[in-house]
Amino acid sequence: MNGRSHGWRIALAALSLLALLVHGRAVAQPQETPRSPVSSLQHIALPAGEPIDLDQPVGADGASIAETRRFHGLAHYLNGLRFFRITADGMIALRDGDTATLGEGEWFAAVGRFNVLAIRGAGTGIAIGERDIRLDAPAGASEVPAVVVSKPQLRELDPVLDRLRYAHLWSPLAALSKSVEAVLVFLERITDAGWAIALILFAILVKLVLLPVSLATAGFQREVSAHRAALAPVLASIKKAHDGEEAHNRIMAAHKARGITPFYTLKPMLGLFILLPVLIAIFNALAEMPQFAGAGFLWIRDLAYPDDIFGLPGTVPFIGRTFNLLPWLMALVSVAASLRFRDVHASPAELSRKRRGLLLMAATFLLLFYPFPAAMVLYWLLNNLLQAVQQELWK
């Protein structure tokens, strides 16, 4: 294993955890055309006593709460809806079939990818459906006042509602995601060059900040490769000539002679404890920032959605129904870096095996990243490019 393959494993783990950490069930949407996030607080009145479909427009400008474009594969969680009751003691997650009656000063929130439907009013009853809600107004009123708001504007409505942002994450990861978002907003504000340029600058900044960790991990991997190459013939000889406890004792002695233990291969994993939380935070921020909606770059019409070039005849599992160019470019960079990989301690057969592993990892990431929004894929493409540059300089 080398520094780059270790980075692949970390990122794969981050993406898998991202899917597991996000709560909310995705349901196929009849509407494929995305609607923009709301640009300002929208005070509306909702009818009492009848279902309110959160996949349909509820805002004054036609905004819906749920994401209206259907995502596939691991990205399907972006179609999810989450429901919360916010009290003085904290937030209570609500599920399909739950009911709640708001007390004085309490909020109810239906949370989609970009937008939130917020309701406040003592005595208001809410019945939660799979993708809809039913309201009971206090004192027999026919309507319930509500507010449609994008996630960055939650603090403007009520500071306590800011806890809804990244509420599916463990609180330290939620705070880290908010920090990622704040840095991206700052970069876009000071450059005034668009969100794509801000994302490029952010990718470079993250790489520079984490460069010591990356270099240390690569150094640890080189040490592991050197130890493995030196131990291989010794261990093979021991296993051929001895067995049982004698073989175990000689293997332990061989490791001790090099000043290591049999667990030396775990040393590069130390970087995981820094890199994995950062990647989870970045992916969550890029997925949920409404600022990317409508922002284009080169051929990409909207960074908040896949860069679909043309439609496919049908829906492909885990892929969707569009041809997206950006994931293929990401995979191409990974393949090129894999073919350029060198390990001075590996035999030709071992080097060939490692390259095949890297190529398989590139194919896996192509499949996993394919249906995600362009902002997320663009970031990983930039990360791969910067990693390839580092790999060439580190030789």
Side-chain angles (χ1 to χ4, degrees), residues 193-197 291-304 378:
W195 287 102
I197 300 302
Q291 293 92 332
F292 286 111
F297 181 62
L298 299 178
W299 71 91
I300 306 170
R301 293 187 298 274
D302 196 329
L303 286 168
L378 178 59

Side-chain angles (χ1 to χ4, degrees), residues 83-108:
F83 304 95
F84 297 93
R85 179 181 180 181
I86 300 94
T87 70
D89 298 324
M91 295 194 305
I92 302 171
L94 302 173
R95 308 289 182 186
D96 179 17
D98 288 346
T99 60
T101 300
L102 298 181
E104 190 67 35
E106 294 182 350
W107 287 93
F108 166 78

Side-chain angles (χ1 to χ4, degrees), residues 42-382:
Q42 296 183 7
H43 294 268
I44 60 174
L46 297 174
E50 60 184 73
I52 299 168
D53 188 349
L54 299 177
D55 290 315
Q56 298 302 316
V58 295
D61 60 356
S64 63
I65 304 305
E67 172 58 67
T68 55
R69 170 165 177 157
R70 182 181 178 183
F71 284 89
H72 299 264
L74 284 182
H76 78 288
Y77 77 88
L78 295 173
N79 291 117
L81 284 166
R82 295 186 297 273
F83 304 95
F84 297 93
R85 179 181 180 181
I86 300 94
T87 70
D89 298 324
M91 295 194 305
I92 302 171
L94 302 173
R95 308 289 182 186
D96 179 17
D98 288 346
T99 60
T101 300
L102 298 181
E104 190 67 35
E106 294 182 350
W107 287 93
F108 166 78
V111 183
R113 182 188 176 194
F114 293 143
N115 298 330
V116 176
L117 175 66
I119 298 172
R120 188 179 194 180
T124 301
I126 303 105
I128 310 299
E130 187 174 25
R131 301 188 69 82
D132 62 71
I133 59 174
R134 185 186 295 267
L135 302 175
D136 288 327
S142 61
E143 294 183 330
V144 175
V147 182
V148 179
V149 58
S150 69
K151 289 181 177 178
Q153 298 169 327
L154 285 167
R155 180 175 289 276
E156 179 183 343
L157 178 59
D158 188 337
V160 73
L161 294 179
D162 194 58
R163 289 182 290 178
L164 292 169
R165 295 168 59 211
Y166 311 108
H168 56 282
L169 294 176
W170 182 41
S171 55
L173 286 176
L176 189 56
S177 297
K178 292 178 182 179
S179 298
V180 169
E181 184 174 335
V183 172
L184 280 164
V185 170
F186 173 76
L187 290 173
E188 196 280 333
R189 183 178 300 140
I190 63 171
T191 60
D192 196 27
W195 287 102
I197 300 302
L199 183 56
I200 293 171
L201 293 176
F202 176 77
I204 296 172
L205 178 61
V206 171
K207 190 63 180 177
L208 290 175
V209 171
L210 295 179
L211 187 59
V213 177
S214 182
L215 293 178
T217 301
F220 292 152
Q221 289 291 354
R222 287 176 179 248
E223 290 180 15
V224 168
S225 296
H227 286 309
R228 182 180 285 125
L231 284 171
V234 177
L235 299 183
S237 176
I238 292 174
K239 292 176 181 178
K240 183 177 181 181
H242 306 278
D243 56 19
E245 186 176 353
E246 179 65 20
H248 172 75
N249 292 336
R250 288 178 178 270
I251 289 174
M252 293 298 293
H255 285 87
K256 187 176 180 179
R258 295 190 62 84
I260 58 175
T261 72
F263 301 104
Y264 72 97
T265 56
L266 299 179
K267 192 175 181 180
M269 297 296 287
L270 295 174
L272 175 69
F273 296 102
I274 298 176
L275 295 176
L276 183 55
V278 172
L279 288 175
I280 292 175
I282 291 173
F283 288 160
N284 274 273
L286 296 182
E288 296 194 18
M289 285 181 62
Q291 293 92 332
F292 286 111
F297 181 62
L298 299 178
W299 71 91
I300 306 170
R301 293 187 298 274
D302 196 329
L303 286 168
Y305 298 94
D307 65 319
D308 48 313
I309 304 299
F310 55 82
L312 300 177
T315 301
V316 181
F318 298 102
I319 295 297
R321 54 192 303 176
T322 60
F323 176 82
N324 307 331
L325 178 60
L326 204 55
W328 291 100
L329 296 178
M330 178 194 73
L332 182 62
V333 171
S334 300
V335 168
S338 301
L339 296 176
R340 292 281 299 168
F341 168 70
R342 299 288 185 273
D343 187 343
V344 296
H345 301 290
S347 64
E350 178 71 9
L351 182 60
S352 178
R353 185 190 67 79
K354 290 183 176 182
R355 285 176 176 166
R356 286 197 302 271
L358 290 171
L359 291 173
L360 178 61
M361 194 66 69
T364 301
F365 268 69
L366 171 63
L367 180 65
L368 294 179
F369 269 92
Y370 192 91
F372 275 92
M376 301 173 71
V377 184
L378 178 59
Y379 173 81
W380 197 246
L381 168 62
L382 294 168

